[in-house]
Amino acid sequence: MSSPYLTLTVVELTQETNDAVTIHLEAPGRQPIASAPGQFLTLILPCGPGGKKERRAYSLSSTPSEAPRLSVTVKRVTGGLVSNYLLDTVRVGQQLEAMAPLGNFTLTPNPAAARSLVLVGAGSGITPLMSMLKAVLRDEPRSQVLLVYGNRNESSVIFGQQLRQLEAQSGGRLQVEHIYSQPTGPVAAHQHTGRLNRTMLLRILEQRHQAPPAQADYYLCGPDGMMAEAKSALELLGVPQAQIRRESFVAAAETQETAAAQPGGHGDVSDSDDDGQIVTRNVTVNYEGTEYQFEVKPSQTILEAALDLDIDLPYSCQAGLCTACRGKCLSGKVHLDEREGLSDSEMNQGYVLVCVAHPLTRDVVIEID
């Protein structure tokens, strides 16, 4: 099995706003790295206490057609350990450790498609949407894209100049609607004042959307409040759930900034006829040809117990969202604190996320992909 870890070199830095930078990366020998529009890259950085390595997932703002370059856009988070480390120290020529691109919040371009896409984002939630819209504009000449993008003001718009250029060059295939909660200047055409909410989104879709709402595909990425408003608007319009994809930006812990992933199903791996008690138990984890047996305390997840023993399992967000730590439960039962990262199909096949998993029986055996 090939290693999930990469060593990437910083080849260029693009200052997007005062507090956001795009980091352009390439592998040794400019070897292309497989990715899909909407996926994320996990950076592993020695910025913790005593040089401890910390991991953060950043959505790719590049597209597969830009290979061998992979680009991530990082926005400074007040008190954020990793974002501040990156923005204060990263330099061209520097090498960064990373995991191969992951994530289920993806769009697959189809040159024969003639579809209508609506992308709704706020703040740094634009990053995976940017990858998607660039890929569609390049590879789907008959498709239309409407981007609804919320920010504090004009100066906080990530990719502002690039979006203006893409819109101007698209021949009408890309429409961009900006929403500013605290605008600093006069509001121009296709700009709105206030918070990106249900009413505003309904108004924009009525004015700018060419296809019937229920026939479009929707991709949502941003804070939970924005996502809930957008989802409510789409429900009112009768949009089928299957045509709505979303990626939450969720704080997993005080030391983490944001982790992103595609929500999935909500089944429970644990069965009601089990005692359901989370107590100290031993588990077995198979990873890369090695079998690890270790104890998991009630206060720990399976991943935390492994990391405390220096067992190097793959992980990224530690919030049950990104699927980097996905494994298959071959025997026994586990409880998952969070199920957003797994689809119904994956749940039915016995897949679990060890970063949010607790053993419920004595015979838990998990095989990590």
Side-chain angles (χ1 to χ4, degrees):
M1 182 182 290
S2 61
S3 171
Y5 300 104
L6 307 169
T7 300
L8 303 175
T9 302
V10 179
V11 294
E12 188 181 351
L13 298 170
T14 303
Q15 190 81 38
E16 304 290 355
T17 66
N18 288 338
D19 60 357
V21 170
T22 296
I23 303 170
H24 305 280
L25 303 154
E26 290 182 4
R30 307 192 77 225
Q31 285 292 314
I33 305 296
S35 69
Q39 286 192 312
F40 59 85
L41 194 68
T42 300
L43 300 181
I44 305 170
L45 303 157
C47 58
K52 178 178 177 288
K53 289 185 177 180
E54 299 286 342
R55 304 187 184 203
R56 294 296 183 275
Y58 292 103
S59 294
L60 290 166
S61 50
S62 56
T63 65
S65 66
E66 295 170 58
R69 183 169 288 201
L70 293 173
S71 304
V72 294
T73 303
V74 180
K75 184 175 181 181
R76 191 182 296 276
V77 177
T78 304
L81 181 64
V82 176
S83 67
N84 284 289
Y85 171 84
L86 277 172
L87 297 186
D88 292 339
T89 68
V90 73
R91 299 289 181 268
V92 171
Q94 183 176 345
Q95 288 193 326
L96 300 179
E97 188 180 0
M99 293 180 69
L102 291 166
N104 299 325
F105 180 70
T106 58
L107 177 151
T108 303
N110 175 7
R115 54 181 165 170
S116 178
L117 295 170
V118 178
L119 313 178
V120 184
S124 56
I126 184 64
T127 313
L129 303 181
M130 189 66 177
S131 177
M132 291 176 179
L133 75 84
K134 287 192 296 183
V136 169
L137 290 177
R138 179 185 184 275
D139 298 331
E140 295 188 10
R142 295 192 298 152
S143 291
Q144 306 275 336
V145 181
L146 170 63
L147 171 66
V148 182
Y149 185 18
N151 281 285
R152 180 177 290 109
N153 53 45
E154 298 87 338
S155 65
S156 61
V157 176
I158 301 173
F159 310 126
Q161 182 179 349
Q162 199 176 157
L163 284 170
R164 284 191 293 274
Q165 290 175 345
L166 288 168
E167 189 174 21
Q169 296 164 3
S170 73
R173 291 197 300 125
L174 171 64
Q175 302 178 77
V176 181
E177 293 280 328
H178 289 283
I179 298 167
Y180 302 125
S181 60
Q182 300 172 31
T184 54
V187 178
H190 308 305
Q191 296 182 359
H192 307 263
T193 301
R195 195 168 60 89
L196 206 172
N197 58 25
R198 181 178 73 175
T199 303
M200 189 174 292
L201 184 57
L202 287 169
R203 187 186 313 131
I204 291 170
L205 289 174
E206 182 182 10
Q207 293 171 352
R208 299 296 302 273
H209 197 231
Q210 296 170 5
Q215 292 178 18
D217 292 318
Y218 298 82
Y219 289 81
L220 319 176
C221 187
D224 284 346
M226 182 220 83
M227 306 261 278
E229 291 283 336
K231 192 166 180 291
S232 177
L234 298 181
E235 284 174 354
L236 276 176
L237 293 171
V239 177
Q241 285 293 319
Q243 288 162 227
I244 304 172
R245 303 287 302 281
R246 58 181 201 156
E247 178 165 75
S248 299
F249 275 42
V250 179
E254 290 182 9
T255 57
Q256 291 186 285
E257 288 122 41
T258 57
Q262 157 67 15
H266 298 272
D268 196 337
V269 174
S270 62
D271 289 340
S272 58
D273 61 356
D274 191 86
D275 61 8
Q277 296 299 306
I278 297 177
V279 298
T280 299
R281 301 183 193 274
N282 288 320
V283 303
T284 300
V285 174
N286 297 315
Y287 176 57
E288 291 194 329
T290 302
E291 179 178 284
Y292 302 96
Q293 293 185 341
F294 52 91
E295 184 180 87
V296 182
K297 297 184 175 65
S299 61
Q300 297 175 305
T301 63
I302 293 173
L303 175 65
E304 287 169 341
L307 295 178
D308 283 350
L309 295 170
D310 291 326
I311 299 171
D312 188 23
L313 300 182
Y315 71 96
S316 177
C317 74
Q318 289 186 270
L321 294 168
C322 77
T323 73
C325 67
R326 190 185 81 153
K328 195 166 192 177
C329 191
L330 302 180
S331 74
K333 298 171 186 172
V334 302
H335 169 77
L336 301 181
D337 295 329
E338 173 60 66
R339 304 168 185 84
E340 288 288 285
L342 293 172
S343 67
D344 289 334
S345 173
E346 288 171 315
M347 294 287 291
N348 292 336
Q349 293 174 61
Y351 283 103
V352 300
L353 303 172
V354 296
C355 74
V356 289
H358 304 270
L360 285 176
T361 59
R362 288 172 291 185
D363 57 342
V364 170
V365 178
I366 296 171
E367 184 171 70
I368 293 183
D369 300 346

